[in-house]
Amino acid sequence: MNRSWNFNRRSVLKGLGTSGALVAFANVMNPTLAFARQSGVLHVGLDGRDMGTLHPHVATAAQDTAVISSIFNGLVRYVPGKVSVEAIEPDLAESWTVSGDFKQYSFKLRHGVRWHKGYGECTSEDVKFSLLNVRDSVQSTFRPIFSNIERIDTPDKYEVVIALKTPDPVFIAVLSGWQGGYVICKKAVEALGDTYKNQPVGTGPFQFEEFRPKERVSLIANPDFYRGTPKLKRIIYSYIPDQTARRYAFVQQEVDIIKGAANEDWLSEVINASKDKPLVDLLGPGRNVVIHMKRSVPPLDNLKIRLAIAHAINREDYQRFFGRVFEPNFGPIPLEYFGAIEPNEIPQNLLYKHDPDRARQLLAEAGFKDGLKLETVVSERGDYLGLAQIGKQQLSKVGIDLKLNVLDNASWVAAIIKEKKGSLVWSTAARYPSAETLIREFWICAADVTKPTGVQGFAEYCNAKLDTAYQTAIAAADPKERSKYFKQVQTILLEDMPSVTLGSLATPVLRQSYVDLGYQVKEGTKVLSLPYMYYFTEKTNV
Amino acid sequence: MSRVIVTRIVFMLAAIFVVLTALFFGIRLGVGDPTIAIQGTYATAESLQALREALGLDKPLWEQYLIYMAGLLRGDFGVSLQNGQPVLTQILAVVPYTFDLTIIGLLIGVVLGVPLGFVAAVRRNSKLDHVIRVMTLSGVSVPPFIMGYFLIIIFVIGLGLFPVAGGGELGEPLSRMRYLFLPGLSLGLIMTSYVTRLARTTVLEILSKDFIRTAKAKGLDQRTILVRHVLRLSLVTIVTLVGLYATITIGSSVVIETVFSRPGVGRLIVGAVAQSDYMVVQGTIIFYAAFVGIVNLLVDLTYTIIDPRIRYE
């Protein structure tokens, strides 16, 4: 059938309209538009819901500390990719000296370090203001860490002298820009007031550009950075809380870096689905995985019950579940921490290996031949819930019936910190990798959560002998001496068994092959980076 | 008419006041402690108390209430307890994204759903009717997040056509559309199922009325009956329920926003509840209550346009 075409006004207009719509749709559907990588722009997919606070003396959430580390500097810093006392180098300070009694630290500051956004030069006044703020401000999260500062003097614009109340041979580590050690701008805080926490002003390689609620924070290069102009023009941190969306965004190269799930299957799937072969780095220090056993919940006050629980734990199950990110450990402190007790240093009678028969025997000796029932609260967060569910299964095999009440993470934190609930409390914590950080927060008498000073002593444990060994350790200047007393503390912990340490969990982070961090990272080794995210320096590039 | 509008607005404000008052006290008794959310496991009893005082949360509840209400009267929604940003700034920053998503979801729902429902009703019990009914039943049965992932698998992983996370640049229409396409389609397909089922039921009901039989007896042609009488009358019911669906859509958008990591009011409120950020929760609830009130008012006004017999005195 022949069809004749009428080129009248109406048909032409229809044709044009249809063509226009098709062109517009084709543009929207053009794949090259969505994923055209901008040169010099790094996209990071964070697993947080939104920005909390970018004030470095308050922030604790991983999605905030990751951003903060690019904006601020401390007096000293760790060589990127390394975290240890040996890897500390000058940052805002160009040099420092320590008095013989370890009670006075004197710093010479760099000249000409500029604050972002035209707030002038960073001087000793800013350093003094920062350290007093982190020590005294009611909103400071890290007050206990800085409480040893007695006085700060500023003889001139570029000199800072810090006097301590008691000797501290490793106080320098506190000033490294981690957990409150970042220097904030006095003028900017006075000018911006409370809004400083969402418009931070620092000295770092990148400066705050914009915050879009529920979407992203972007930083732009600081052209005045004292180590040189950054190679990157911009870093965009996107909040992608949904794990599946984060994974697809990475596979499609919408983002260059993401934090991965602590699960071997998940990591393998992402690597296999990606176009180029991305790299998986394990960031440390590892989070110490501990089950605290509350003494106030009978029969957990009985040592035999606690030892039975320790013997019921099979670390191989955790290795199967978490894969490469999990490193088993029998001592209370992760092996990469200074002063950690090594497996070969643990006396045989204190090495509580997986032994279900011994666990059942200990339960019987304690009067629980037919088993016992316990109830506790646990966070719904994947890693916590996974840990608790594996634990529940293992305990059931020796006759301990554990009921888990699953709460959202915020309610769980409130339940264990404020309401002192639970019987077995799973906790994971990564700190500066030296034994005192974890001992101070979990096991000294002052840490007991039933006390006003309590931080995370969920086991409600207090042993004067341990406190004495701890105080001796932190006052010791000689590393060997410090280490010796830290190990003594850990031996006491293994004898009393207030908590069972299972091992440590590293943070898996994936990056595209074209991301150049600007510093050497050996594949397969753990990258030490305290903000749970890579350090981005002036040399980082895509 | 203007008096009716003014009265409605007064009622709406009264409803917001009641909701907000109940929420103000309820949230402080039922939701967690924001100081715990801020300091997390670093918190000590001393530091929590100090932070409570700094945020003014140690004051008696009635005093906090009066301070908040006095602020509202000055147009001050307060600042987020978490990040210190003004609540209103945060809401206004995400409203355009939620607006885009809701409008596109409703638009797809109405544009596809009304004709499909109409055809299914007119061709009742035909093969076409059965196909439409099966499809819409599937649509209402599928949770929004499954629909979202399903589209991601096809359009992102399979075809690589659209981005998966974010909301695009507000100032760039093309970018905005690219980021809206998949979430909008997810919501739109679900809405289509609801609207189709509703339209079909409504049209069937009207087709069984006496006046339709009379119209047929009068010899009016099928097309006139369907367009002039059936469609027009069914629109009153459809508009009512689409208005209701608009409020449901904004609820469903929370899930879609999460799946596609889109900024939006839904995600704002979910995050605020998780962080026990009272101020942001209160601000977003005011927004929701105002939105529902305005939609209801618009629905009522639309009746008078569709059906001149409806008058508000």
Side-chain angles (χ1 to χ4, degrees):
Chain A
M1 190 175 80
N2 281 343
R3 193 167 172 178
S4 61
W5 292 96
N6 291 326
F7 283 98
N8 56 22
R9 182 174 153 273
R10 185 173 291 182
S11 66
V12 168
L13 284 175
K14 266 187 192 174
L16 285 174
T18 309
S19 310
L22 284 171
V23 168
F25 189 67
N27 265 324
V28 171
M29 300 271 288
N30 177 1
T32 57
L33 269 177
F35 317 118
R37 275 209 309 273
Q38 299 153 284
S39 165
V41 180
L42 180 71
H43 292 266
V44 182
L46 296 174
D47 64 350
R49 283 196 180 96
D50 201 2
M51 184 180 93
T53 170
L54 294 183
H55 195 305
H57 298 171
V58 182
T60 57
Q63 73 263 26
D64 293 334
T65 54
V67 180
I68 283 167
S69 68
S70 299
I71 300 174
F72 291 94
N73 298 96
L75 282 170
V76 294
R77 73 167 190 174
Y78 299 106
V79 175
K82 295 175 183 173
V83 178
S84 72
V85 174
E86 292 76 36
I88 287 178
E89 64 179 14
D91 199 6
L92 289 175
E94 59 184 18
S95 64
W96 70 89
T97 55
V98 188
S99 64
D101 62 357
F102 296 101
K103 284 182 74 177
Q104 187 171 292
Y105 284 74
S106 305
F107 295 87
K108 294 261 186 252
L109 301 186
R110 281 175 196 267
H111 292 234
V113 174
R114 315 293 302 172
W115 288 109
H116 302 156
K117 302 178 192 293
Y119 277 96
E121 193 182 11
C122 174
T123 67
S124 56
E125 267 310 297
D126 293 301
V127 176
K128 181 179 179 178
F129 174 80
S130 288
L131 294 175
L132 292 181
N133 180 74
V134 75
R135 184 193 69 176
D136 300 334
S137 165
V138 291
Q139 298 211 35
S140 164
T141 313
F142 309 105
R143 287 163 78 192
I145 299 173
F146 289 80
S147 60
N148 196 22
I149 296 176
E150 185 178 39
R151 196 182 67 256
I152 299 174
D153 296 315
T154 52
D156 68 39
K157 212 172 155 184
Y158 302 107
E159 197 175 349
V160 180
V161 180
I162 302 168
L164 302 180
K165 294 172 192 168
T166 59
D168 185 351
V170 290
F171 178 71
I172 195 72
V174 170
L175 305 170
S176 63
W178 166 242
Q179 296 195 329
Y182 289 111
V183 175
I184 58 174
C185 178
K186 185 183 179 188
K187 268 188 207 164
V189 171
E190 285 167 353
L192 298 169
D194 202 39
T195 59
Y196 186 80
K197 63 185 178 188
N198 56 57
Q199 299 172 52
V201 173
T203 49
F206 299 94
Q207 52 188 329
F208 177 80
E209 182 189 30
E210 181 192 29
F211 163 55
R212 295 191 196 170
K214 297 289 160 198
E215 188 177 8
R216 70 192 211 184
V217 164
S218 58
L219 309 181
I220 50 167
N222 170 15
D224 302 322
F225 186 53
Y226 50 88
R227 292 181 191 273
T229 305
K231 288 180 178 173
L232 285 173
K233 292 179 201 153
R234 180 176 274 112
I235 305 178
I236 295 171
Y237 296 90
S238 300
Y239 300 109
I240 312 177
D242 185 78
Q243 199 165 278
T244 309
R246 206 162 60 243
R247 164 185 161 174
Y248 288 139
F250 183 77
V251 167
Q252 295 300 109
Q253 298 190 344
E254 283 178 52
V255 290
D256 308 313
I257 290 171
I258 55 165
K259 193 188 265 193
N263 182 299
E264 194 57 41
D265 293 343
W266 190 92
L267 292 170
S268 304
E269 280 170 20
V270 176
I271 292 163
N272 294 336
S274 297
K275 295 170 194 167
D276 305 326
K277 196 174 176 288
L279 302 158
V280 180
D281 289 311
L282 302 180
L283 299 192
R287 287 183 292 146
N288 202 31
V289 182
V290 180
I291 307 173
H292 300 274
M293 299 175 273
K294 273 187 184 291
R295 289 205 162 191
S296 60
V297 179
L300 295 176
D301 53 340
N302 184 332
L303 177 63
K304 284 187 173 170
I305 299 289
R306 298 200 300 275
L307 293 179
I309 290 172
H311 279 300
I313 298 300
N314 183 0
R315 288 161 181 82
E316 284 175 15
D317 289 346
Y318 294 93
Q319 259 180 307
R320 270 193 293 274
F321 182 81
F322 290 106
R324 72 184 88 181
V325 300
F326 182 76
E327 187 179 13
N329 186 21
F330 290 91
I333 305 288
L335 296 170
E336 65 204 336
Y337 281 47
F338 171 80
I341 194 165
E342 302 275 343
N344 58 10
E345 295 173 311
I346 299 173
Q348 278 305 305
N349 63 318
L350 300 180
L351 198 62
Y352 306 109
K353 291 202 165 170
H354 176 55
D355 188 346
D357 294 335
R358 175 75 183 127
R360 278 188 283 266
Q361 185 193 341
L362 284 161
L363 285 174
E365 286 172 18
F368 291 91
K369 190 172 171 290
D370 299 325
L372 68 101
K373 285 185 190 308
L374 285 171
E375 190 172 342
T376 196
V377 287
V378 66
S379 167
E380 65 176 355
R381 216 177 74 182
D383 48 357
Y384 282 122
L385 195 55
L387 289 164
Q389 284 170 335
I390 295 169
K392 175 186 164 76
Q393 200 180 30
Q394 293 178 341
L395 292 172
S396 70
K397 287 177 182 171
V398 299
I400 299 172
D401 178 14
L402 176 67
K403 186 185 173 195
L404 296 174
N405 296 315
V406 183
L407 305 172
D408 67 87
N409 196 60
S411 303
W412 173 74
V413 172
I416 58 169
I417 296 270
K418 199 175 157 187
E419 297 152 30
K420 326 290 184 209
K421 282 185 180 169
S423 56
L424 302 182
V425 177
W426 272 262
S427 84
T428 67
R431 299 291 181 262
Y432 168 72
S434 184
E436 77 269 19
T437 53
L438 295 173
I439 296 167
R440 181 178 60 218
E441 274 187 50
F442 291 98
W443 294 299
I444 62 171
C445 290
D448 174 355
V449 285
T450 59
K451 297 187 168 77
T453 51
V455 184
Q456 298 196 69
F458 304 117
E460 300 164 355
Y461 171 72
C462 180
N463 181 336
K465 208 167 87 177
L466 182 144
D467 272 27
T468 306
Y470 166 76
Q471 294 298 345
T472 313
I474 60 171
D478 176 22
K480 276 186 185 163
E481 194 73 2
R482 276 176 87 80
S483 178
K484 185 180 100 181
Y485 284 104
F486 283 147
K487 286 173 184 176
Q488 201 178 94
V489 167
Q490 290 164 86
T491 307
I492 295 168
L493 284 170
L494 289 167
E495 286 165 355
D496 293 349
M497 194 44 64
S499 324
V500 190
T501 297
L502 314 179
S504 68
L505 279 173
T507 302
V509 181
L510 293 93
R511 62 185 159 111
Q512 308 286 10
S513 54
Y514 52 76
V515 175
D516 174 11
L517 293 170
Y519 49 90
Q520 210 52 45
V521 172
K522 235 167 112 184
E523 211 176 343
T525 60
K526 202 175 279 181
V527 185
L528 293 180
S529 181
L530 286 167
Y532 309 104
M533 177 48 69
Y534 297 113
Y535 274 117
F536 300 124
T537 72
E538 71 284 358
K539 292 175 184 161
T540 304
N541 206 356
V542 286
Chain B
M1 191 64 177
S2 58
R3 224 180 81 187
V4 170
I5 295 173
V6 169
T7 311
R8 285 295 173 91
I9 289 171
V10 169
F11 274 120
M12 188 174 83
L13 292 174
I16 289 174
F17 172 78
V18 171
V19 167
L20 191 58
T21 303
L23 178 81
F24 186 93
F25 293 100
I27 197 175
R28 279 158 178 76
L29 299 170
V31 176
D33 183 343
T35 56
I36 288 268
I38 292 167
Q39 294 199 336
T41 48
Y42 291 80
T44 64
E46 288 168 340
S47 66
L48 287 176
Q49 185 51 33
L51 189 56
R52 244 175 245 125
E53 287 167 18
L55 295 173
L57 299 172
D58 61 323
K59 293 185 172 80
L61 273 188
W62 61 266
E63 195 180 333
Q64 289 182 49
Y65 177 74
L66 290 179
I67 291 168
Y68 181 69
M69 285 299 179
L72 270 188
L73 291 174
R74 295 192 306 270
D76 178 8
F77 282 60
V79 296
S80 158
L81 297 174
Q82 289 293 323
N83 61 34
Q85 276 241 331
V87 172
L88 195 58
T89 306
Q90 292 197 65
I91 293 173
L92 293 177
V94 296
V95 159
Y97 294 104
T98 298
F99 182 79
D100 280 0
L101 187 59
T102 308
I103 292 296
I104 204 82
L106 279 174
L107 207 63
I108 292 172
V110 171
V111 167
L112 294 179
V114 172
L116 280 174
F118 202 81
V119 168
V122 171
R123 304 223 180 148
R124 190 181 182 183
N125 292 332
S126 66
K127 277 184 185 170
L128 182 65
D129 180 31
H130 292 319
V131 168
I132 290 171
R133 285 169 71 189
V134 168
M135 280 172 64
T136 55
L137 188 62
S138 309
V140 295
S141 310
V142 172
F145 73 93
I146 295 287
M147 182 69 84
Y149 288 140
F150 181 68
L151 293 180
I152 285 173
I153 288 163
I154 294 171
F155 288 98
V156 179
I157 302 302
L159 302 170
L161 290 176
F162 292 100
V164 71
E169 299 293 329
L170 275 180
E172 297 172 23
L174 205 62
S175 155
R176 207 162 155 174
M177 280 168 70
R178 293 185 62 75
Y179 280 89
L180 180 62
F181 186 87
L182 288 185
L185 190 61
S186 305
L187 200 57
L189 291 176
I190 291 165
M191 288 311 297
T192 300
S193 302
Y194 278 105
V195 175
T196 304
R197 290 164 67 84
L198 161 75
R200 182 180 179 276
T201 310
T202 309
V203 171
L204 282 177
E205 199 183 325
I206 292 166
L207 283 171
S208 65
K209 297 273 185 202
D210 289 348
F211 71 89
I212 298 292
R213 196 182 53 207
T214 308
K216 283 180 184 168
K218 270 193 335 187
L220 273 184
D221 66 287
Q222 178 81 344
R223 187 179 169 149
T224 308
I225 292 170
L226 291 178
V227 175
R228 276 242 187 119
H229 299 285
V230 178
L231 180 62
R232 191 153 185 183
L233 198 59
S234 64
L235 279 179
V236 175
T237 311
I238 291 168
V239 164
T240 306
L241 284 157
V242 164
L244 180 67
Y245 284 158
T247 58
I248 294 170
T249 307
I250 215 162
S252 306
S253 68
V254 176
V255 179
I256 297 291
E257 282 166 1
T258 303
V259 168
F260 290 94
S261 299
R262 259 180 86 78
V265 182
R267 261 185 75 196
L268 192 65
I269 195 167
V270 168
V273 170
Q275 291 288 303
S276 313
D277 197 336
Y278 305 152
M279 304 304 267
V280 175
V281 174
Q282 285 157 196
T284 43
I285 290 297
I286 293 172
F287 166 81
Y288 274 128
F291 175 81
V292 171
I294 289 165
V295 166
N296 284 337
L297 181 62
L298 289 175
V299 167
D300 289 350
L301 295 177
T302 312
Y303 288 163
T304 59
I305 297 163
I306 296 170
D307 191 345
R309 293 172 305 171
I310 297 171
R311 285 276 177 274
Y312 296 111
E313 297 304 334

